[in-house]
Each structure stands twice: as structure tokens, then as C-alpha cells.
Amino acid sequence: PVKPYLGAGIGVAAVKIDDGLLDDKGSALSLQAIAGASVAVSPRVSLFAEARYQRVGPIRVETTTSGGERKSKFDLSSAGALAGIRFGF
């Protein structure tokens, strides 16, 4: 039978930004949500598929230009999917 699962995580993400205009680093709170399902194909082998959403932020960035110093903040988020096979031993 199909076994659905949910997961969640909280942590700290190390962030480095260096795109030619911005050059800063720091850390920010990271939250993650996971939803998936697995199917056993044998007692030790199962197939799985899951989706993940991660949010990091707010990230505070300081820039210095000829006009002076500017402070900004923004959030990062990503979504992804995984599929694979698990082997138990």
C-alpha cells in the first residue's frame, strides 16, 4: 500500500550574496515543509516521491554606493520535487 508522509523543519541558513553589485553574508531563519508518499516493492526496497518547499528570510543586506549606505531585506523561497528508491538494511 501507499504510505503518505508529512515533514517540517526549522533551522538556520548561511547566506552569501555576491553578484557584482551586492557582496554580503549572514544567516537567516529557514523553514521547510515536506509532503510525500512511498510504496514498498519488497520488504527492504521502496519507491518514493516527495515535494519540498523552503523559505529563508528575512535576509538583511547592506550596500554602499556613491549615494551612501543602503539597508535592504528580502526573503528567498524554493520549491522542488524528489523521486527515488530507498534500500533498508
Side-chain angles (χ1 to χ4, degrees):
V2 175
K3 293 183 180 178
Y5 58 88
L6 296 173
I10 185 169
V12 175
V15 179
K16 178 165 178 36
I17 301 168
D18 185 2
D19 67 356
L21 178 62
L22 300 175
D23 186 6
D24 203 354
K25 63 183 175 181
S27 59
L29 180 68
S30 176
L31 303 172
Q32 183 171 241
I34 305 164
S38 65
V39 176
V41 294
S42 78
R44 294 183 179 227
V45 178
S46 62
L47 302 175
F48 74 92
E50 67 182 38
R52 292 178 180 237
Y53 174 78
Q54 184 174 14
R55 181 180 178 278
V56 178
I59 301 165
R60 290 174 178 78
V61 177
E62 294 182 14
T63 57
T64 303
T65 64
S66 59
E69 191 171 286
R70 181 178 172 197
K71 295 183 180 182
S72 304
K73 68 178 183 177
F74 57 93
D75 297 320
L76 297 174
S77 65
S78 66
L82 299 171
I85 185 168
R86 286 192 185 114
F87 299 95
F89 47 92

